[in-house]
Amino acid sequence: MKVVNLKQAILQAWKERWSDYQWAINMKKFFPKGATWDILNLAEALLEQAMIGPSPNPLILSYLKYAISSQMVSCSSVLTAISKFDDFSRDLCVQALLDIMDMFCDRLSCHGKAEECIGLCRALLSALHWLLRCTAASAERLQEGLEAGTPAPGEKQLALCLQCLEKTLSSTKNRALLHIAKLEEASSWTAIEHSLLKLGEILANLSNPQLRSQAERCGTLIRSIPSMLSVHSEQLHKTGFPTIHALILLEGTMNLTGEMQPLVEQLMMVKRMQHIPTPLFVLEIWKACFVGLIESPEGTQELKWTAFTYLKIPQVLVKLKKYFHGEKDFTEDVNCAFEFLLKLTPLLDKADQRCNCDCTNFLLQECNKQGLLSEVNFASLVGKRTADRDPQLKSSENANIQPNPGLILRAEPTVTNILKTMDADHSKSPEGLLGVLGHMLSGKSLDLLLAAAAATGKLKSFARKFINLNEFTTHGSGESTKTASVRALLFDISFLMLCHVAQTYGSEVILSESSSGEEVPFFETWMQTCMPEEGKILNPDHPCFRPDSTKVESLVALLNNSSEMKLVQMKWHEACLSISAAILEILNAWENGVLAFESIQKITDNIKGKVCSLAVCAVAWLVAHVRMLGLDEREKSLQMIRQLAGPLYSENTLQFYNERVVIMNSILEHMCADVLQQTATQIKFPSTGVDTMPYWNLLPPKRPIKEVLTDIFAKVLEKGWVDSRSIHILDTLLHMGGVYWFCNNLIKELLKETRKEHTLRAVQLLYSIFCLDMQQVTLVLLGHILPGLLTDSSKWHSLMDPPGTALAKLAVWCALSSYSSHKGQASSRQKKRHREDIEDYVSLFPVEDMQPSKLMRLLSSSDDDANILSSPTDRSMNSSLSASQLHTVNMRDPLNRVLANLFLLISSILGSRTAGPHTQFVQWFMEECVGCLEQDSRGSILQFMPFTTVSELVKVSAMSSPKVVLAITDLSLPLGRQVAAKTIAAL
């Protein structure tokens, strides 16, 4: 018989009662090779014929089962055919379809093209929708049966539906395929959510608890599909998290003026990467704050820490609250963190002793004010601390000394008031303004106000207001002696304050983002060109120190001839710019015997007698001048600095002289520190009883810096946390040795560790140390150190577990942190550092694939598998195609370039014939990437991984799971979904 179509062939088989294998043989004869059975819609045709009557045709169903078992038809075509059946009243037909689904629903697979695998995802989504509709119909029938008194048939069908649903959903592979299908067809997923809601309503009235709990399990599994990637277990067995501790110490010690948002994001990044539970995360922040309060050196640093703890950190927590779902939950977590903190009584008592007050009480009040604690919890915590507090502390508190926390909290509103006062027109009431500024200079008021302004992000506008005031006072016209002296004082105080701010908080705070057309204010010009700073070398012969000669001559004459400085009509900014050349003239005259020492004393008294800023400008030039002189030529210049540093004992000084001299001496000490160390000279600056430079000159003399680095790291590792002194030493070493030297030597120390708990602690500490300059360290680590270890077989032994696992973890943490923050601004402490690029990243990692990069040439020479480890030129484009290229990421950015090349290297190692510790390292690296991932991997570092790596990676047993595949592919791209579907379907 000549068969015309598929339907006729099926009917003929049925009439002649062919067995299933006979049917298969004949079908292959009727339909020669060419079109596949799926194209001919065999599964749909068989089901259509089998389901014609009230009960299914067993013979035709046996053909379909045979076709499924022998893989004549694909799983997707069968699922699609089943999902088209919608007459749920035909019990036997529905049961037969459930039977067929039961055959293969927990072992779906597809080894075809990517399009076919996406087809399987869609078919599974349709089948899930069909199962939900079928379950709902069965539940409705059961209800009707219960009302009619015949529940048995409905209950049996519902049980079968739920069994099939649970079997389908309990497979992680199926849920992963459904996750992809959801992204492919959002509307179909919405329909599933509606069906799930409807089913929930129907089953709510169900009396059978077993069926109801089974339905709830299925519902939970379906609802978990969209968030499959965000489930991370938290580290509940650990209580200390040194990374958070060190990060807080680093910010409090070195970056008080930094913006809050980058700190909040960095803390959240660490919390996610290390899976830290929220209460322990908040506890670690508080612990670090109290340690900072206890160990901070007396003076400015102590006030900075107090401002950081009481003003900045509560605001940081307010911002962190937005990252957590449910405001109530976060306040509970903060309460829980305080409960833990109150158990650390010795720590809190030591802080109370240091600060002369109940530190915890102040902190609880501030958190309560910011809405971080409920009234009930606040009262309970205050009560507990009062009960636990050492009774001797209360009696030993000195009532005459006001505690810093209280002063800082009061200083914050004062800052706002001063800013308002400074906004007024200076010309209207300069005396009133002078009174306000005079109060700021007394005692530690200035440092208190600056610390409060820095911690609340107001320091920049504070500095701007003083720059404007300073600019206003540079000129005076038609003024009386009294007006002139007020103007001189306003100029001097604003100048000294700005110098003090620049030295304490960094010159970035002062600099404005002025547009090209605007005139740069005098103080900014002077600070950038004439003010000595750490790491800044000034040329004493620079044109900025050589102003108009007539102005210099008149200034020299004024200083030498008059008994004191004139004030009326004085242009103070010109005097400040001319003083350097005037000092040179005076020095030359002294050295040539024209002027006697008594004349020099008179001149220096004149310089510092009325306004201290002239002395500051004079010393700024002298410091630059001394650097250029030989050993035997320095004496007179250093003697002049000594003369300028001492106060003037005279009746005829202007207001607030003693207060201004204190600030001047602090400024001069900072300016001279470097040059005095280099020239081995000592100058005794009038002491205020407080070390003004506690973190300066910490390196031990005559010791190689590599020894110092290994020694300090060993101590930090042994202790388990980084203290602020160590942070400063490490920062100095990074500055001195450079990023590559610093990073390379610390990685060597990490690779020497052989104990697992030590390596994990080392990673947590190294990550926080690298935060000193995370961007540059990451470029060195991923662009130089890792490729060097992975491509040199003689170094592979160092990548064994545990140090290898630790290095992989560290590399991923650094990569994720740098990538998430490199679009933002570098923090002020990182801007200060001079950048030394080890090598030009453009030549190391070229943009175009036309020229092979050095890295890929390295690879091709270190392995016999030349096809895989060759340069990008020899690779077909699609073998290195990654999601980042489809997202058109800027490959001129060094970090993007380094990441892209690292993933090319990983891809080639996975495809190489040689396995070893380096292959194991790649696995650990990828596992850590997956472990640290968030819900959506778009925009993460994994977008730089070539799509071809996915299929190589699943060959590694530890990585061959559907969740891993979902995590490492960019599912926001159609190509990413195809790669994921193809890989998961083949698992």
Side-chain angles (χ1 to χ4, degrees), residues 18 41 45-46 79 94 132 146 153 165 259 274 308 458 485 499 510 514 548 663-664 734 740 754 843 873:
W18 295 344
N41 274 344
L46 285 168
L79 290 171
V94 169
L132 286 171
L146 284 168
L165 198 55
E259 286 179 33
Q274 298 187 14
F308 182 72
K458 292 175 186 157
S485 67
C499 284
I510 307 286
S514 57
D548 182 358
I663 299 175
M664 177 187 83
L734 170 59
Y740 181 81
T754 51
S843 66
T873 336

Side-chain angles (χ1 to χ4, degrees), residues 108 173 176-177 180 961-962 965-966 979-987:
L108 297 176
K173 179 177 174 177
L177 293 171
I180 295 167
S961 88
V965 176
L966 286 182
V979 169
K982 191 173 185 337
T983 312
I984 292 169
L987 286 175

Side-chain angles (χ1 to χ4, degrees), residues 865-936:
D865 194 355
N867 294 331
I868 288 160
L869 294 180
S870 60
S871 66
T873 336
D874 307 328
R875 295 158 153 264
S876 60
M877 182 53 202
N878 62 356
S879 69
S880 61
L881 178 70
S882 67
S884 61
Q885 285 159 287
L886 299 175
H887 286 310
T888 59
V889 168
N890 172 22
M891 291 312 285
R892 293 196 170 275
D893 181 279
L895 183 62
N896 293 348
R897 190 189 303 275
V898 164
L899 283 166
N901 274 272
L902 179 66
F903 278 106
L904 270 179
L905 171 54
I906 283 173
S907 182
S908 41
I909 287 171
L910 286 168
S912 163
R913 288 182 197 151
T914 313
H918 65 310
T919 323
Q920 184 72 59
F921 177 87
V922 165
Q923 181 194 320
W924 291 324
F925 183 89
M926 294 306 296
E927 280 175 357
E928 191 58 34
C929 281
V930 173
C932 294
L933 263 188
E934 290 189 55
Q935 174 61 27
D936 177 16

Side-chain angles (χ1 to χ4, degrees), residues 638-649:
L638 291 168
Q639 210 171 337
M640 196 172 257
I641 293 176
R642 280 193 194 96
Q643 288 293 320
L644 289 165
L648 175 69
Y649 300 104

Side-chain angles (χ1 to χ4, degrees), residues 6-81:
L6 208 52
K7 191 174 175 182
Q8 283 183 337
I10 295 165
L11 286 172
Q12 185 183 348
W14 173 63
K15 282 175 190 166
E16 295 179 14
R17 296 293 188 271
W18 295 344
S19 64
D20 47 16
Y21 70 89
Q22 224 181 338
W23 167 79
I25 293 165
N26 289 333
M27 287 297 279
K28 283 171 187 172
K29 284 181 190 169
F30 293 152
F31 297 92
K33 279 183 182 175
T36 63
W37 297 114
D38 280 1
I39 290 173
L40 293 169
N41 274 344
L42 176 61
E44 197 175 323
L46 285 168
L47 267 183
E48 206 178 291
Q49 292 305 313
M51 299 292 164
I52 286 171
S55 62
N57 185 319
L59 185 61
I60 297 178
L61 279 185
S62 73
Y63 298 158
L64 178 59
K65 287 176 183 175
Y66 186 87
I68 293 167
S69 305
S70 61
Q71 295 183 0
M72 277 174 75
V73 290
S74 66
C75 301
S76 56
S77 66
V78 179
L79 290 171
T80 307

